[in-house]
Amino acid sequence: MSTHKIMFLPHQREITVQEGENLIRAAMEAGVHVNASCGGEGVCGKCRVIVEAGEVEGGLSEKLGQDDIEKGYRQACLAKVKSDLVVRIPIESVVDAGALNRQATPRRTARIREINLDELKEKGLFVPPVEKKHLKLPEPTAQDNLPDVSRLVGYLKLKHDEHHLEVDLSVIRKIPHVLREKNFEVTATLARPVREDSKTRIINVQPGDTTDRNYAIAMDIGTTTIYGQVLDLKTGRVLSQYGDFNGQISYGEDVISRIVYSEKPGGLEKLNQVVIETINQVIGQIVKGSKIDPDEISTITLAGNTTMTQLMLNVDSRHIRRSPYVPAATLYPPVRAADLGMALGDHVTALVYPAVSSYVGGDIVAGVMGSGIYRTDELTLYMDIGTNAEIVIGNKEWLACAACSAGPAFEGGGIKLGMRAQKGAIEDFSIDPVTLEPMNITIGSVRPKGICGSGLITAVATMFEMDIIDSLGKFNREIKTSRIRQTEGIYEYVLAWKDETQIDRDVVLTEPDIDNLIRAKGAMYSGCMTLLEEVGLSAKDIDRIILAGGFGSYVDLEKAMIIGLLPETDSDKVTFIGNGSLMGARMSSLTNRIRRDVVEVTKKMTNFELSETKSYMDNYVAALFLPHTDLNQFPKLKARRQARKNNGPIEPE
Amino acid sequence: MSTHKIMFLPHQREITVQEGENLIRAAMEAGVHVNASCGGEGVCGKCRVIVEAGEVEGGLSEKLGQDDIEKGYRQACLAKVKSDLVVRIPIESVVDAGALNRQATPRRTARIREINLDELKEKGLFVPPVEKKHLKLPEPTAQDNLPDVSRLVGYLKLKHDEHHLEVDLSVIRKIPHVLREKNFEVTATLARPVREDSKTRIINVQPGDTTDRNYAIAMDIGTTTIYGQVLDLKTGRVLSQYGDFNGQISYGEDVISRIVYSEKPGGLEKLNQVVIETINQVIGQIVKGSKIDPDEISTITLAGNTTMTQLMLNVDSRHIRRSPYVPAATLYPPVRAADLGMALGDHVTALVYPAVSSYVGGDIVAGVMGSGIYRTDELTLYMDIGTNAEIVIGNKEWLACAACSAGPAFEGGGIKLGMRAQKGAIEDFSIDPVTLEPMNITIGSVRPKGICGSGLITAVATMFEMDIIDSLGKFNREIKTSRIRQTEGIYEYVLAWKDETQIDRDVVLTEPDIDNLIRAKGAMYSGCMTLLEEVGLSAKDIDRIILAGGFGSYVDLEKAMIIGLLPETDSDKVTFIGNGSLMGARMSSLTNRIRRDVVEVTKKMTNFELSETKSYMDNYVAALFLPHTDLNQFPKLKARRQARKNNGPIEPE
């Protein structure tokens, strides 16, 4: 697909976008404010821009008069980029250049990193834990009437140098029929052991040659969402993927409330049954999506936090939530998927990622494996921000990890109009420094319903940078605008007026919301700092940051640093791997070596119970500011604020 | 219990018996004929004897007049031995001394051999595959909040030098609860691997100290009968045992008809279900009988022939009955007993004896292991005579084995009034050389219903020794007696007249019955000879014979040699181990070493398909005589016959 350049005026900011990109999103990317209340649905009509050169598709509506249209006015949210453009933002009041400069910086999302299949193959690591062998066995005779299994095993030893083989009962059950279906031409599926000196299991036999069809499932068992992928083990490619809400949500939003439910009579069994149902739905969808024969699936690898893993395995989890927070186990044996209730063939083994502790689970271990922290020299900070938040710091020598009680703010929890990153959530935001009019971008470009984590971070960071809120997260009481008001004694900013929303009331951002965000980011940041201190390092030693979790995909890194969620660093040091848990599950499905390494890695991962770590509370309290009590930890931001102070305060309209 | 001597007159034969022994059984043991048609029930009144000295209990009935009683007459079948006795058998016709000498020889049953627990213990082999360890784990604290499983595993490593441990999911499921029930005082059940370098599995955890309660089940899955034992793994003792008919009997008497049934739609599943039901009945009975808590059972070891094993594992067995007779497998993986449908705890693993071929199954391998052939220097002939018949010849260096198509004659199959060794079966027999009146001893001392294997062998051998039947198994046409007659053209001997039986008709032994027995013994004997020839040896090289199978317990060895079922040898070289399959299963339950050795032993057991072995048919045809076409193979019998010939033929009454 072709790309086009857009020059935004009067800002003189240029950006390159894909053909067909929405113009208002392009402006947001470029850090150019355009008033837009309705989230991009086209109904508020505020996002008028003048296309001075080039061609857009759409952008017309009854909100624009014929005159306007002829002058080049378009509604930015309805216009798609078709060529290089020059776009002018009409400045409807007198703004000084300073104010213009105080506009949002261009978006800086993290580079997305994926598994490098070529590298895996080059290094000889692309050896999935299951392998298919096509064999033409000699047919039995009176002189050679070996048992069917011995015939297969003997041939594999003799012709394929396979030793230490063992055979599953399910194979014994089907082998008489399978061998004779195509005159003793068969394909055997071999499951490799973790330790090289252990036995290789023959888990399946199929008539004829099926070596071109060998698939695996990788799955992330999240507290909120369960994601699955069908992988082609010949190429390593993802054939299909699907995510669905974990059916356990009805029994509690977070792991603690799930555990509480599991302690009721029949509760554990219920939660187990419900998560298996969701898993089976996801399996059904991805099998459908990949158009494969489900019998060709050889293995399923699952990663989840410790509670999700235990509930999936029907393991009593009550002690996870009680001091001293003891899980039943952190290493799980391979289990027949069908024994867990999974709708998969008898021969499929479920491989479950090991955990480190009650609150550093298999999802984080999977992220460590998938992202490769455990084999890098660079000091890496890995942050997984989901319903639970976990941090890992380290490299190939050592790994320190901790769970942060960050709470659900990043997923919209505890925020008055907070919501998950779903259609109608404000995910990006800018504010006119003079009029204080907002620019709301919503997921799906529909009228707002609420605000999600990335929108919240951007809104708070933007307002903090413009001194609309102070370092305590309080609105500047001096500003006079209808957007900032008190409702029942609580200060709030109106992101969208009632008639611009889907919910028949104003979408607002309140001071308690900001306070919750500060606590959440404070927990994450102080967790990082505490871990670093425990190993005698500081933030400036960090070579790179890896963000994982659904949340991280759209976060503006600069904004995350402004609020003090991330240590201040070059945004190109930050990469985003998306669902780290799923990535790790996929990695294990493709390279058996991971399964051997992972046990060593979990041993290397030193878990810090933050609540038991002396300095944590001090660090936490110090982090309950925007960005932090110690501005020296954020030197760039400190410099900007210093410069701004010299320019004087912003004048309200 | 005290023993007493009985002197039988006029035979001058003395025998020592237990106090309370039945007098007619004592006479039979001594080889002294007493007319007795009714099997020992006391109704025919023919077994009159005179107690000349000593005391018996009972023996009186209305069949004896007051005069008789005063003279010392008693009914032998109703009299119990209370002291040393002198008992005279009234000779009701003139008999010469020669005829007396031609009476039956005293019974010679094989010495019974059991597992020698003391020897096992002395040799350090009494190490069951499951072991319990009592542990007092440190309780978790904030500084030591290891997962429950890691706490257990770590402690076992540190304090009990247990390494390479793996943990079953069922243990993970119960460990949180179990550890906390008695303040982290627990008993862990460890299942040892077959190979020393493999992992030990932790299969169970229980609160407190349960080390004094560790039990196993040993089971023989016979075509006809399923026997089970509960074993105390602390002492090695059998706490209870029980046998029940295999529910599959309704679907076919022998393995072939079972396989035929299994090929029908749903047939395999039905047979599987039915045998599991019987297994569960047997488990229920032996658990009840032993009064143990079934949760304390740690393991079940099962042995059966290849077809029974496959049907129990729900494995397609159709190719077992079709040339070239290929079983699905001969080595079976350990399986969770509950997965097989067995009514045992989640933690119980079913260990299934490996087989050698389609017709040399795990029952025979178990017999080889249990009887210790595989570690003796002596050349041993092992014969298991049940619904199927198998032979093993060898020692610790080599083992040759074969299945014999002996047919069911030894279990009463194909015999006009044949029956299994149940109540009412004639199990022992003698004949008056002059009057040709029978002496029938039945199981349970009730009126006869039919004749079982040991009775059949004894009857045929006895009549052959008295020239009542010839070496072709035909009745001597010269003898005139109402006992020998033709019915519908078929010669037969009346064992019991209609009014002396339970079945409202005569119990007879026909020429076709004798023919079937000859074929059966011919198959066994020629199997032995063929195996010996294949390894370049002959019958005289055999150091000892081991008989196994329910059948062998009561067989009169001399009689078995007379008909040519066993090679002629000293009867003290013959031992009887009863159910060899069960013995092997028990042995494996007590000493894990067996499980390691057994795979090597099955590799060492060279299977000969007799039907494919050139000389077999010649050997078989030669064996279709009493005892054999080549009398030189039975030198003692040959000498006796020679001597008898010099005395002239027996005169009928």
Side-chain angles (χ1 to χ4, degrees):
Chain A
M1 200 182 269
S2 55
T3 58
H4 302 295
K5 281 183 187 160
I6 310 174
M7 169 59 77
F8 286 102
L9 299 174
H11 311 65
Q12 299 271 5
R13 284 209 183 143
E14 198 174 70
I15 188 171
T16 300
V17 301
Q18 300 280 340
E19 166 143 346
E21 172 65 300
N22 182 291
L23 200 48
I24 201 164
R25 287 180 182 269
M28 183 64 92
E29 285 291 320
V32 169
H33 178 86
V34 180
N35 287 344
S37 296
C38 72
E41 193 172 326
V43 294
C44 74
K46 289 182 183 158
C47 60
R48 292 151 56 108
V49 297
I50 307 157
V51 179
E52 294 191 348
E55 191 193 343
V56 297
E57 183 184 316
L60 306 177
S61 86
E62 70 259 24
K63 303 268 174 187
L64 296 173
Q66 194 55 40
D67 269 15
D68 293 340
I69 291 170
E70 279 166 19
K71 284 181 198 153
Y73 277 92
R74 295 290 182 273
Q75 262 186 261
C77 74
L78 299 175
K80 283 181 183 168
V81 179
K82 299 299 287 181
S83 72
D84 287 359
L85 298 174
V86 176
V87 175
R88 180 173 295 277
I89 314 300
I91 304 295
E92 292 176 6
S93 61
V94 180
V95 204
D96 66 1
L100 210 63
N101 286 336
R102 255 177 279 145
Q103 289 213 4
T105 46
R107 274 187 68 80
R108 290 274 179 77
T109 49
R111 272 177 305 125
I112 292 174
R113 236 190 32 181
E114 252 299 349
I115 293 174
N116 188 334
L117 286 173
D118 294 334
E119 191 200 334
L120 274 187
K121 285 172 189 170
E122 262 167 39
K123 290 191 177 165
L125 291 175
F126 185 62
V127 181
V130 284
E131 191 183 346
K132 281 187 165 187
K133 298 266 187 191
H134 173 227
L135 314 165
K136 290 183 178 177
L137 305 178
E139 296 192 33
T141 62
Q143 286 67 47
D144 163 26
N145 66 351
L146 282 177
D148 290 338
V149 166
S150 309
R151 179 170 306 279
L152 177 69
V153 167
Y155 193 85
L156 280 165
K157 276 188 190 165
L158 199 67
K159 303 283 186 176
H160 292 261
D161 205 27
E162 293 284 350
H163 298 278
H164 290 309
L165 295 167
E166 64 184 8
V167 180
D168 282 6
L169 181 57
S170 60
V171 169
I172 298 178
R173 283 180 176 155
K174 62 167 76 163
I175 200 169
H177 168 69
V178 168
L179 288 193
R180 287 163 185 84
E181 196 170 320
K182 290 198 172 162
N183 300 318
F184 290 77
E185 184 186 346
V186 289
T187 300
T189 308
L190 309 188
R192 299 299 178 190
V194 175
R195 285 164 53 202
E196 268 175 358
D197 61 344
S198 294
K199 287 192 174 178
T200 290
R201 280 167 52 224
I202 303 178
I203 59 166
N204 203 10
V205 282
Q206 297 170 303
D209 182 358
T210 69
T211 47
D212 61 338
R213 303 190 297 278
N214 193 16
Y215 307 107
I217 290 181
M219 201 170 271
D220 162 45
I221 311 298
T223 309
T224 306
T225 320
I226 293 180
Y227 288 100
Q229 294 179 328
V230 167
L231 310 176
D232 183 337
L233 294 183
K234 257 201 131 172
T235 63
R237 291 226 186 80
V238 177
L239 297 184
S240 63
Q241 59 185 359
Y242 182 74
D244 205 341
F245 284 114
N246 185 336
Q248 291 179 343
I249 286 178
S250 325
Y251 304 88
E253 290 268 323
D254 54 30
V255 297
I256 298 302
S257 50
R258 302 273 170 89
I259 296 173
V260 169
Y261 186 89
S262 78
E263 293 179 42
K264 296 180 183 175
L268 173 60
E269 293 66 29
K270 183 73 197 171
L271 291 183
N272 175 256
Q273 176 205 324
V274 159
V275 73
I276 294 295
E277 276 167 17
T278 304
I279 289 171
N280 285 340
Q281 273 160 30
V282 172
I283 290 173
Q285 289 296 332
I286 55 180
V287 164
K288 214 164 112 183
S290 60
K291 300 194 179 75
I292 63 163
D293 177 348
D295 284 347
E296 303 286 0
I297 294 168
S298 297
T299 181
I300 180 169
T301 303
L302 304 111
N305 65 49
T306 309
T307 304
M308 287 306 109
T309 301
Q310 290 202 174
L311 295 178
M312 176 185 79
L313 296 172
N314 210 354
V315 171
D316 183 359
S317 301
R318 68 187 65 209
H319 303 291
I320 288 181
R321 78 175 182 98
R322 289 185 171 84
S323 172
Y325 315 111
V326 176
T330 44
L331 275 173
Y332 316 101
V335 193
R336 219 161 52 101
D339 282 347
L340 296 175
M342 293 176 192
L344 289 167
D346 248 13
H347 61 282
V348 179
T349 301
L351 303 170
V352 181
Y353 252 98
V356 173
S357 66
S358 275
Y359 294 101
V360 176
D363 50 349
I364 301 308
V365 175
V368 167
M369 302 312 290
S371 66
I373 315 174
Y374 75 103
R375 50 188 167 86
T376 179
D377 290 317
E378 294 176 309
L379 182 66
T380 307
L381 166 61
Y382 178 94
M383 298 172 89
D384 189 316
I385 307 172
T387 311
N388 315 296
E390 295 93 358
I391 321 164
V392 183
I393 295 177
N395 54 28
K396 70 179 179 192
E397 301 296 336
W398 56 272
L399 293 159
C401 56
C404 296
S405 313
F410 298 118
E411 297 210 316
I415 305 299
K416 189 172 182 184
L417 283 149
M419 62 184 289
R420 294 207 187 93
Q422 292 172 304
K423 208 167 174 182
I426 296 173
E427 62 171 345
D428 215 338
F429 175 85
S430 147
I431 193 164
D432 187 296
V434 177
T435 63
L436 302 190
E437 278 301 297
M439 176 185 189
N440 296 319
I441 300 286
T442 62
I443 297 174
S445 297
V446 295
R447 278 179 291 168
K449 275 178 170 171
I451 187 164
C452 68
S454 59
L456 189 64
I457 289 169
T458 298
V460 171
T462 304
M463 292 197 238
F464 175 59
E465 277 278 78
M466 296 195 183
D467 294 326
I468 297 166
I469 55 178
D470 64 15
S471 65
L472 289 165
K474 304 298 175 200
F475 285 104
N476 185 339
R477 307 294 193 244
E478 308 296 317
I479 299 173
K480 302 295 172 235
T481 162
S482 58
R483 290 270 175 189
I484 297 177
R485 68 187 186 193
Q486 266 189 302
T487 301
E488 293 170 7
I490 291 170
Y491 274 88
E492 60 189 20
Y493 173 87
V494 181
L495 290 159
W497 302 108
K498 181 177 167 178
D499 59 354
E500 297 160 342
T501 73
Q502 290 186 58
I503 56 171
D504 202 28
R505 58 189 169 124
D506 300 343
V507 171
V508 298
L509 175 68
T510 69
E511 277 188 357
D513 292 346
I514 299 169
D515 200 43
N516 276 334
L517 179 68
I518 291 175
R519 284 169 194 279
K521 74 91 193 171
M524 293 295 296
Y525 188 81
S526 56
C528 294
M529 291 309 115
T530 307
L531 272 193
L532 284 166
E533 283 167 18
E534 289 287 324
V535 295
L537 295 171
S538 76
K540 63 181 187 303
D541 297 314
I542 293 172
D543 294 317
R544 58 174 188 151
I545 297 177
I546 296 175
L547 294 182
F551 163 83
S553 62
Y554 203 67
V555 164
D556 187 330
L557 297 176
E558 300 286 342
K559 306 292 189 297
M561 292 175 202
I562 287 169
I563 67 163
L565 168 59
L566 299 181
E568 198 174 73
T569 184
D570 288 345
S571 19
D572 58 6
K573 284 186 177 176
V574 186
T575 51
F576 173 66
I577 59 164
N579 189 327
S581 173
L582 190 59
M583 187 187 238
R586 185 178 161 210
M587 196 73 164
S588 286
S589 307
L590 300 181
T591 167
N592 197 40
R593 175 67 178 282
I594 294 277
R595 289 173 60 213
R596 199 157 70 240
D597 293 343
V598 72
V599 176
E600 289 312 305
V601 170
T602 56
K603 282 182 193 159
K604 213 184 272 175
M605 286 173 76
T606 311
N607 179 46
F608 289 84
E609 292 288 347
L610 292 181
S611 59
E612 304 290 335
T613 308
K614 236 177 157 182
S615 61
Y616 176 70
M617 198 38 81
D618 295 340
N619 278 321
Y620 177 59
V621 171
L624 291 180
F625 288 83
L626 292 175
H628 197 271
T629 39
D630 177 13
L631 256 191
N632 292 324
Q633 295 189 22
F634 295 82
K636 286 189 229 164
L637 184 133
K638 187 180 176 187
R640 280 203 304 278
R641 293 189 86 76
Q642 205 63 49
R644 202 149 65 241
K645 214 172 246 168
N646 300 341
N647 278 347
I650 301 170
E651 290 301 325
E653 192 181 17
Chain B
M1 198 183 268
S2 56
T3 57
H4 302 294
K5 281 182 187 160
I6 310 175
M7 169 59 78
F8 287 103
L9 300 175
H11 311 67
Q12 298 272 6
R13 286 213 181 138
E14 197 176 69
I15 189 171
T16 301
V17 301
Q18 300 279 339
E19 166 141 347
E21 173 64 301
N22 182 292
L23 201 50
I24 203 164
R25 287 180 182 269
M28 183 64 93
E29 285 293 319
V32 169
H33 177 88
V34 179
N35 287 342
S37 295
C38 71
E41 194 173 325
V43 294
C44 74
K46 289 181 183 164
C47 59
R48 291 151 58 107
V49 297
I50 306 157
V51 178
E52 294 189 348
E55 191 193 344
V56 297
E57 182 186 317
L60 305 176
S61 86
E62 70 260 24
K63 303 266 174 186
L64 297 171
Q66 193 55 37
D67 268 16
D68 291 338
I69 292 170
E70 280 167 17
K71 284 182 196 152
Y73 276 92
R74 296 291 181 274
Q75 261 186 262
C77 72
L78 299 176
K80 284 182 181 168
V81 178
K82 299 300 285 180
S83 71
D84 287 359
L85 298 175
V86 177
V87 176
R88 178 171 298 276
I89 314 300
I91 304 295
E92 294 178 4
S93 62
V94 183
V95 203
D96 67 359
L100 210 64
N101 286 338
R102 256 176 278 146
Q103 289 213 4
T105 47
R107 274 188 69 80
R108 289 274 178 76
T109 48
R111 271 177 305 126
I112 292 175
R113 235 188 36 179
E114 252 300 350
I115 293 174
N116 188 334
L117 286 172
D118 294 332
E119 190 199 334
L120 273 188
K121 286 173 189 171
E122 263 167 41
K123 290 189 177 166
L125 290 174
F126 185 61
V127 181
V130 284
E131 191 183 347
K132 281 188 165 186
K133 297 266 188 193
H134 173 227
L135 313 167
K136 290 182 177 176
L137 305 179
E139 296 191 33
T141 63
Q143 286 67 47
D144 164 24
N145 66 351
L146 282 177
D148 290 339
V149 166
S150 308
R151 178 170 308 278
L152 177 69
V153 168
Y155 193 86
L156 280 166
K157 277 187 187 162
L158 200 67
K159 303 281 187 178
H160 291 262
D161 205 26
E162 292 285 348
H163 298 276
H164 290 308
L165 294 167
E166 64 184 8
V167 179
D168 281 6
L169 181 58
S170 60
V171 169
I172 298 177
R173 283 179 176 156
K174 63 167 76 165
I175 198 168
H177 168 72
V178 168
L179 287 194
R180 288 163 184 86
E181 196 170 318
K182 291 199 172 160
N183 300 318
F184 290 77
E185 184 186 345
V186 289
T187 301
T189 309
L190 309 187
R192 301 299 180 189
V194 175
R195 285 163 54 201
E196 268 175 0
D197 61 343
S198 294
K199 288 192 173 177
T200 290
R201 281 168 51 224
I202 303 179
I203 60 166
N204 202 11
V205 282
Q206 298 171 302
D209 182 358
T210 68
T211 47
D212 60 338
R213 303 191 296 278
N214 193 17
Y215 308 107
I217 290 180
M219 200 171 272
D220 162 44
I221 311 297
T223 309
T224 305
T225 320
I226 293 181
Y227 288 100
Q229 295 179 327
V230 168
L231 311 176
D232 184 337
L233 294 184
K234 257 202 131 172
T235 63
R237 291 223 188 82
V238 178
L239 298 184
S240 64
Q241 59 184 359
Y242 182 75
D244 205 341
F245 284 114
N246 186 335
Q248 290 180 344
I249 286 178
S250 324
Y251 303 89
E253 291 266 323
D254 53 31
V255 296
I256 297 302
S257 50
R258 303 271 170 90
I259 296 173
V260 169
Y261 186 87
S262 78
E263 293 178 42
K264 296 181 183 175
L268 174 59
E269 293 67 29
K270 184 72 198 172
L271 291 183
N272 175 255
Q273 175 206 325
V274 159
V275 73
I276 294 295
E277 276 167 17
T278 304
I279 289 171
N280 285 339
Q281 275 160 29
V282 172
I283 290 174
Q285 289 295 332
I286 55 179
V287 164
K288 213 165 115 182
S290 60
K291 300 193 179 73
I292 62 163
D293 177 349
D295 284 348
E296 303 285 1
I297 294 168
S298 297
T299 180
I300 180 169
T301 303
L302 305 111
N305 66 50
T306 309
T307 303
M308 286 306 108
T309 301
Q310 291 203 174
L311 295 178
M312 176 184 78
L313 297 172
N314 210 353
V315 170
D316 183 358
S317 301
R318 71 187 64 210
H319 303 289
I320 287 181
R321 79 175 182 97
R322 289 186 171 82
S323 172
Y325 315 111
V326 176
T330 43
L331 275 173
Y332 316 101
V335 194
R336 219 161 53 101
D339 281 347
L340 296 175
M342 293 176 193
L344 289 167
D346 249 12
H347 61 280
V348 179
T349 300
L351 303 170
V352 180
Y353 252 98
V356 173
S357 66
S358 275
Y359 295 100
V360 177
D363 50 349
I364 301 308
V365 175
V368 167
M369 301 312 290
S371 65
I373 314 174
Y374 75 104
R375 49 186 168 86
T376 180
D377 290 316
E378 294 176 309
L379 181 66
T380 307
L381 165 62
Y382 177 94
M383 298 172 89
D384 189 316
I385 306 172
T387 312
N388 314 297
E390 296 91 358
I391 322 164
V392 182
I393 296 177
N395 53 28
K396 70 179 178 191
E397 302 296 336
W398 56 272
L399 292 158
C401 56
C404 296
S405 313
F410 299 119
E411 296 211 316
I415 305 300
K416 187 170 184 186
L417 282 150
M419 62 183 288
R420 295 205 188 93
Q422 292 172 304
K423 208 167 175 183
I426 296 172
E427 63 171 345
D428 214 339
F429 175 86
S430 148
I431 193 165
D432 187 295
V434 178
T435 64
L436 301 191
E437 278 300 296
M439 176 184 189
N440 297 319
I441 299 286
T442 62
I443 297 174
S445 296
V446 296
R447 278 178 292 167
K449 276 177 168 172
I451 188 164
C452 68
S454 59
L456 188 64
I457 289 170
T458 299
V460 171
T462 305
M463 291 197 239
F464 174 60
E465 278 277 78
M466 296 193 182
D467 294 327
I468 298 165
I469 55 178
D470 64 16
S471 65
L472 288 165
K474 304 299 173 199
F475 287 103
N476 184 339
R477 307 293 193 246
E478 308 295 316
I479 297 173
K480 302 296 173 228
T481 162
S482 57
R483 290 269 172 190
I484 298 177
R485 68 186 186 195
Q486 264 188 305
T487 300
E488 291 168 8
I490 291 171
Y491 273 88
E492 60 189 20
Y493 174 88
V494 182
L495 290 159
W497 300 108
K498 180 176 168 179
D499 58 354
E500 296 159 345
T501 74
Q502 291 186 57
I503 55 170
D504 203 29
R505 57 187 168 125
D506 299 343
V507 171
V508 299
L509 175 70
T510 68
E511 276 187 358
D513 293 344
I514 299 169
D515 200 44
N516 276 332
L517 179 67
I518 290 174
R519 283 169 196 280
K521 73 92 191 172
M524 294 293 296
Y525 188 83
S526 55
C528 295
M529 292 308 116
T530 307
L531 273 192
L532 284 166
E533 283 166 18
E534 288 289 322
V535 294
L537 295 170
S538 76
K540 64 180 187 304
D541 297 312
I542 294 171
D543 295 316
R544 58 175 188 151
I545 297 176
I546 296 175
L547 293 182
F551 163 83
S553 63
Y554 203 69
V555 164
D556 186 330
L557 298 176
E558 300 286 342
K559 306 291 189 297
M561 293 176 201
I562 288 167
I563 67 163
L565 168 59
L566 299 182
E568 197 174 76
T569 184
D570 287 346
S571 20
D572 57 8
K573 285 186 177 176
V574 186
T575 52
F576 173 66
I577 59 163
N579 189 327
S581 174
L582 190 60
M583 186 187 238
R586 184 179 161 208
M587 196 74 165
S588 286
S589 306
L590 300 182
T591 169
N592 197 40
R593 175 66 179 282
I594 294 278
R595 289 173 59 213
R596 198 156 71 243
D597 293 344
V598 72
V599 176
E600 289 312 304
V601 170
T602 56
K603 282 181 191 157
K604 212 183 272 177
M605 286 173 77
T606 310
N607 180 45
F608 288 84
E609 293 287 349
L610 292 180
S611 59
E612 305 290 336
T613 307
K614 237 178 157 184
S615 61
Y616 176 69
M617 198 37 81
D618 294 340
N619 277 321
Y620 177 61
V621 171
L624 291 179
F625 288 84
L626 292 175
H628 196 272
T629 40
D630 177 13
L631 256 191
N632 292 324
Q633 295 189 21
F634 296 80
K636 287 189 228 164
L637 183 133
K638 186 180 175 187
R640 282 202 304 280
R641 292 190 87 73
Q642 206 62 50
R644 202 149 66 241
K645 213 172 247 171
N646 301 341
N647 278 345
I650 299 168
E651 290 300 323
E653 193 180 17

